[in-house]
Amino acid sequence: MTRYSMVLRGAALASALLITGCTAGSGGGSASSGDKVTLTFLTFETPNLDAKYWDAAIARASAKVPGVKIKKLVSPSADRTGYAKQLDSTGQFPDVMIGLNPAGFAESGKLAPWTDKELATYENPHANTYGGKVYQLPYAAQTTLVYYNKKDFAAAGIATPPRTYAELLDASAKLKKKGINPFVVGGGGKDSWADMFPLICTVATDVYKKTPDWLSQRGKGKVKFTDEAFVTAAQKVADLAGKGYVDRAGLSRSYADTEQAFRDGKGAMYPMGSWFSASADAKKPSFDTGVFAWPTDQGAPALPGVLGGGMTVSSKASDVPLAKKWAKAFMEDQKNLDAGVKADGLIIDIKGYTAPDNMGPVYKDTVKAYREAQKGEGIVNSFSQETGDGSLPPGMADKAAAGMQKLLSGRMTAKEFGAYMDEQWDKATR
């Protein structure tokens, strides 16, 4: 489950929109249907979260909230935020949305804030605030880890996962010497967001670990992307590619093809979001998959995490209280939560929730790594995935991904990448 992607052409809006029982031109906003209020619900589909998954979840929530009829809107890509912007520009802003990045929408009053009473069931109710208000239900955490091929590690004589960055480089060298590609990284076409994971990890270890509010400081002009800390993080990624530890020929792969490349044994390590754990358990590769956190220089934990991802409600919905009630019913339903855990490897952050006992080993190892980092105060922000105050300006995540393609391919140096990011920041905040 991701929040990135390409900007879609407005001309494709009507033809690309899928709505249960209707088309985009049928109104888009809330309307009454007999004794029911019709609400549009914007979601997305992935190989993990397909139409069957969403339809079942919608039905469960609707059964708990009489008087609501849901029209499902499906984003043509994983970028439901970009799609919501397009719908908003044509007067079709959805009533309820899941996984939306609230930035911009919250500040302009387009979203209804959640009250403390409505957030009482959440472990971290005030995660991702905008001006002190919460606009997205903080129901689940996701993190970025390194998934690795245990067979490849054994073949290269690597007994245990690396615990320091020096050990990561040593492991990469041993793998390459054995003729094994160390890292699988992709991000071609509309899936440029997928190339960000190595940088997400190095910014976590080299920037956010030392300065947790670094991006807020960037907003105040106290730091820049051309400063040593960020350039060092970018340089680590550039060096991995420059040493041949990242297969540059694979950078053009789509997200799905990149995952398949790892499954097919075309690389030993796969830096990726924790949602991969569900895929690895549901359809086990021909090898055992291990998990470790991208290591810092000294070995202290610095795991990039995102908490949120839940429902947002339009402030202009025809019945905001009913829309909120349905959104909470969807988000807090036990079967819906279990389905999200099984399909997308979610780490649920709702009080009293326990994951199903039959979850697979990769998911369990993923959760273990996350919880261990939590205990050691090792969870930091996830660069380009931040939400709430102190996040990237809207649109900059896509710019960062485009720059990463050049950094990884050797067409841009780390210093040039830092300058590029400062330039994009200035353009986005004028």
Side-chain angles (χ1 to χ4, degrees):
M1 176 170 150
T2 62
R3 71 172 185 84
Y4 311 93
S5 74
M6 65 177 179
V7 176
L8 301 165
R9 293 183 181 273
L13 181 64
S15 62
L17 181 60
L18 300 178
I19 304 178
T20 303
C22 69
T23 64
S26 64
S30 301
S32 61
S33 176
D35 295 327
K36 292 187 176 183
V37 173
T38 299
L39 300 172
T40 52
F41 170 46
L42 177 62
T43 185
F44 60 100
E45 292 178 0
T46 69
N48 288 1
L49 306 177
D50 57 13
K52 183 178 179 181
Y53 164 86
W54 290 113
D55 290 343
I58 289 169
R60 284 190 287 266
S62 297
K64 293 183 176 182
V65 186
V68 172
K69 179 181 179 181
I70 297 298
K71 289 183 178 179
K72 182 181 69 172
L73 315 182
V74 181
S75 173
S77 79
D79 184 21
R80 52 272 192 197
T81 299
Y83 198 50
K85 290 178 182 177
Q86 290 193 41
L87 291 171
D88 184 35
S89 71
T90 59
Q92 301 180 90
F93 192 55
D95 300 307
V96 184
M97 295 147 279
I98 191 166
L100 179 83
N101 179 3
F105 298 113
E107 294 89 339
S108 60
K110 295 182 182 296
L111 303 176
W114 295 97
T115 66
D116 286 346
K117 183 178 180 180
E118 291 167 334
L119 295 168
T121 56
Y122 296 84
E123 292 283 1
N124 294 280
H126 295 108
N128 305 324
T129 59
Y130 292 83
K133 295 181 180 181
V134 176
Y135 294 92
Q136 183 182 64
L137 292 176
Y139 87 112
Q142 292 184 319
T143 186
T144 297
L145 292 157
V146 181
Y147 294 91
Y148 71 97
N149 183 325
K150 290 185 176 182
K151 183 178 178 181
D152 282 349
F153 267 44
I158 305 168
T160 58
R163 291 178 293 272
T164 66
Y165 192 71
E167 290 180 3
L168 180 66
L169 293 177
D170 182 63
S172 299
K174 288 178 178 177
L175 289 162
K176 187 171 176 59
K177 187 176 181 179
K178 279 287 184 179
I180 301 170
N181 174 41
F183 285 97
V184 175
V185 180
K190 66 181 178 65
D191 293 334
S192 61
W193 56 268
D195 68 19
M196 285 293 293
F197 292 99
L199 184 67
I200 287 172
C201 292
T202 59
V203 170
T205 59
D206 286 58
V207 182
Y208 290 166
K209 180 66 175 177
K210 300 171 185 175
T211 313
D213 65 340
W214 190 90
L215 211 54
S216 292
Q217 291 192 30
R218 179 63 186 85
K220 297 174 183 177
K222 294 182 178 180
V223 296
K224 287 191 173 184
F225 290 101
T226 46
D227 289 351
E228 182 180 0
F230 188 85
V231 172
T232 297
Q235 187 64 57
K236 283 185 173 181
V237 177
D239 287 345
L240 290 175
K243 292 177 180 179
Y245 297 160
V246 174
D247 177 20
R248 284 173 167 164
L251 294 176
S252 61
R253 294 189 187 108
S254 68
Y255 164 62
D257 288 345
T258 302
E259 178 179 312
Q260 191 59 46
F262 176 67
R263 287 180 166 280
D264 291 342
K266 294 181 180 179
M269 292 181 281
Y270 181 43
M272 182 46 59
S274 50
W275 51 86
F276 175 68
S277 64
S279 175
D281 284 329
K283 187 180 178 182
K284 186 180 180 300
S286 61
F287 50 85
D288 288 333
T289 303
V291 181
F292 67 91
W294 190 285
T296 60
D297 290 338
Q298 294 77 28
L303 198 61
V306 180
L307 177 58
M311 294 287 198
T312 53
V313 173
S314 168
S315 62
K316 302 300 182 183
S318 63
D319 193 328
V320 172
L322 194 61
K324 281 186 164 188
K325 185 177 181 181
W326 186 86
K328 278 176 61 65
F330 183 105
M331 213 83 274
E332 298 167 17
D333 180 83
Q334 179 76 28
K335 289 184 177 179
N336 281 0
L337 293 173
D338 289 349
V341 169
K342 292 177 181 178
D344 217 31
L346 298 177
I347 303 171
I348 301 300
D349 209 45
I350 293 178
K351 294 177 182 177
Y353 178 80
T354 302
D357 292 335
N358 62 349
M359 293 303 295
V362 183
Y363 175 80
K364 289 180 179 179
D365 286 347
T366 294
V367 175
K368 181 180 178 181
Y370 183 81
R371 297 303 184 200
E372 286 179 350
Q374 272 187 319
K375 291 177 183 177
E377 297 184 350
I379 303 296
V380 300
N381 284 337
S382 185
F383 179 65
S384 77
Q385 296 179 328
E386 301 95 341
T387 58
D389 296 322
S391 57
L392 284 175
M396 265 204 73
D398 292 334
K399 299 296 184 182
M404 273 300 295
Q405 280 283 334
K406 294 181 179 180
L407 183 72
L408 286 164
S409 64
R411 292 178 289 135
M412 181 181 281
T413 67
K415 288 183 179 180
E416 289 170 342
F417 179 67
Y420 164 82
M421 289 296 293
D422 278 328
E423 180 184 357
Q424 296 305 317
W425 182 285
D426 291 342
K427 288 180 179 179
T429 55
R430 279 176 189 158

